[in-house]
């Protein structure tokens, strides 16, 4: 036993307070929860697919109640809303993280704003998919455009396929294009299928040429990369394409970039359980 007889009443009180503080700090450290805000801003280099996959990853590694979302300072907020309700506003500069750096950069934070594109684990849980779909819900202005486009093209949900061509960003505006052989081959096969084919691409010229050659459907949209937005263009076209693809029954994906897969259509396929074929 310790001999505390030499301690005064004041000293005992101070010692007691110190012990209480130590115990409280220990409890806090073992039950600490921090709120993470996944931020999407106009100056990020992440595309929409990158941002969505980062949110999916957060739902796999964090408690649902600790995850917030803020895309209020990105142009997509004009067209979509967070119907899930976990909105927040980030007033600080976000930390850029991925699945490898996330824990090291956030583990000691009580509240942290991040730009996150962490890769999720597969398969993605159904309840997570439903949460993320609610986070990206079309506003009325976009919903009306989706419905009118589907009607004008005479498309029925889950009764058409999408041929999506992802062209390298610096080639998007090139007008002198040729249809790649792989696209010609798959288009010849799709022509023989008794199903409408909707062609979408970040190259307006390419999709128009394919549709003219093979008699497929397309839109007048001119989608842009939602990361590092500059110059002309409206993210509304990108989001319209996103939700049109989400209503398809199969996605055929093509890109002219080596060892690359379009995160845009891949996230749609994952969220809406749509089969894909990489051309």
């Amino acid at each position: 036993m310790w001999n505390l007889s030499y301690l005064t009443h004041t000293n005992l009180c101070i010692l007691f307070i110190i012990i209480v503080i130590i115990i409280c700090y220990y409890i806090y450290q073992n039950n600490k929860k921090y709120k993470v805000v996944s931020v999407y801003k106009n100056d990020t280099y992440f595309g929409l697919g990158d941002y969505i996959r980062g949110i999916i990853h957060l739902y796999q590694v964090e408690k649902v109640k600790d995850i917030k979302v803020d895309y209020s300072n990105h142009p997509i907020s004009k067209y979509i809303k967070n119907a899930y309700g976990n909105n927040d506003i980030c007033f600080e500069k976000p930390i850029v993280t991925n699945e490898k750096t996330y824990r090291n950069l956030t583990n000691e934070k009580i509240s942290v704003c991040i730009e996150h594109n962490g890769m999720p684990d597969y398969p993605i849980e159904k309840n997570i998919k439903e949460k993320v779909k609610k986070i990206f819900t079309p506003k009325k202005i976009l919903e009306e455009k989706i419905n009118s486009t589907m009607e004008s093209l005479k498309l029925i949900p889950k009764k058409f396929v999408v041929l999506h061509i992802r062209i390298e960003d610096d080639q998007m505006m090139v007008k002198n294009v040729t249809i790649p052989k792989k696209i010609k081959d798959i288009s010849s096969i799709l022509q023989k299928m008794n199903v409408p084919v909707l062609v979408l691409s970040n190259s307006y010229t390419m999709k128009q040429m394919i549709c003219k050659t093979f008699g497929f459907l397309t839109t007048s949209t001119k989608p842009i990369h939602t990361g590092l937005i500059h110059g002309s263009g409206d993210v509304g076209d990108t989001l319209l394409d996103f939700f049109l693809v989400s209503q398809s029954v199969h996605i055929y994906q093509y890109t002219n970039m080596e060892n690359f897969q379009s995160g845009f259509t891949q996230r749609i396929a994952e969220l809406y359980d749509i089969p894909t074929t990489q051309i």
Side-chain angles (χ1 to χ4, degrees):
M1 292 290 295
W2 293 342
N3 183 7
L4 302 178
S5 59
Y6 64 92
L7 292 176
T8 64
H9 177 75
T10 301
N11 287 337
L12 283 172
C13 289
I14 293 173
L15 179 61
F16 176 76
I17 292 172
I18 291 173
I19 292 172
V20 170
I21 292 173
I22 292 173
I23 292 172
C24 290
Y25 181 76
Y26 177 80
I27 294 172
Y28 167 75
Q29 289 294 331
N30 283 275
N31 293 278
K32 182 173 60 177
K33 300 181 181 68
Y34 61 83
K35 179 180 66 178
V36 57
V37 184
S38 182
V39 180
Y40 199 40
K41 298 175 67 177
N42 197 27
D43 59 356
T44 183
Y45 63 87
F46 295 158
L48 183 61
D50 298 323
Y51 183 54
I52 290 174
R53 86 179 190 192
I55 293 177
I56 293 171
H57 176 257
L58 290 178
Y59 275 116
Q60 291 180 330
V61 299
E62 294 296 341
K63 295 179 179 179
V64 172
K65 65 184 183 65
D66 291 334
I67 301 169
K68 302 293 181 180
V69 172
D70 177 19
Y71 52 72
S72 60
N73 288 314
H74 193 283
I76 64 172
S77 62
K78 177 181 176 181
Y79 299 99
I80 59 175
K81 60 185 177 182
N82 183 351
Y84 188 62
N86 60 336
N87 301 286
D88 206 337
I89 300 295
C90 178
F91 295 102
E92 60 188 73
K93 183 175 176 60
I95 301 169
V96 179
T97 60
N98 56 39
E99 73 278 5
K100 296 178 181 178
T101 63
Y102 175 72
R103 283 300 180 202
N104 290 336
L105 295 174
T106 64
N107 198 39
E108 298 304 319
K109 301 284 186 177
I110 297 174
S111 179
V112 61
C113 296
I114 62 173
E115 289 182 358
H116 186 63
N117 70 338
M119 183 63 72
D121 293 324
Y122 295 96
I124 300 170
E125 298 86 339
K126 183 178 179 180
N127 66 315
I128 292 178
K129 294 179 184 180
E130 294 305 313
K131 290 182 179 68
V132 176
K133 284 191 284 187
K134 287 183 179 180
I135 290 173
F136 297 92
T137 300
K139 289 183 177 179
K140 185 177 181 180
I141 183 176
L142 178 58
E143 188 175 11
E144 290 177 346
K145 185 64 176 176
I146 295 167
N147 293 338
S148 65
T149 302
M150 291 283 289
E151 184 178 347
S152 66
L153 294 174
K154 295 181 172 57
L155 292 174
I156 301 173
K158 301 306 176 184
K159 298 291 185 180
F160 67 96
V161 301
V162 164
L163 174 58
H164 182 261
I165 298 96
R166 172 68 160 87
I167 301 299
E168 206 160 351
D169 292 340
D170 60 2
Q171 299 176 20
M172 287 172 55
M173 306 307 295
V174 175
K175 294 185 178 180
N176 185 21
V177 299
T178 57
I179 302 176
K181 184 180 183 303
K182 287 184 177 181
I183 296 295
K184 290 180 179 179
D185 291 343
I186 191 65
S187 295
S188 296
I189 295 173
L190 292 175
Q191 272 186 315
K192 299 173 184 177
M193 297 172 61
N194 188 26
V195 61
V197 179
L198 176 64
V199 181
L200 299 173
S201 175
N202 61 334
S203 168
Y204 182 82
T205 305
M206 177 66 77
K207 72 176 182 179
Q208 293 293 336
M209 182 179 292
I210 293 170
C211 291
K212 184 178 180 180
T213 303
F214 294 96
F216 296 152
L217 302 170
T218 192
T219 67
S220 60
T221 57
K222 296 181 179 179
I224 60 175
H225 195 283
T226 55
L228 293 178
I229 296 174
H230 56 84
S232 60
D234 188 345
V235 297
D237 279 357
T238 305
L239 293 168
L240 174 58
D241 280 6
F242 182 96
F243 287 102
L244 290 176
V245 176
S246 74
Q247 299 193 56
S248 67
V249 71
H250 197 103
I251 305 170
Y252 293 87
Q253 304 167 319
Y254 172 83
T255 178
N256 65 346
M257 292 175 278
E258 190 175 353
N259 299 320
F260 178 85
Q261 186 178 34
S262 171
F264 182 77
T265 51
Q266 191 58 35
R267 296 295 89 75
I268 300 171
E270 291 167 357
L271 288 177
Y272 293 89
D273 298 313
I274 304 172
T276 62
T277 299
Q278 189 76 23
I279 304 169

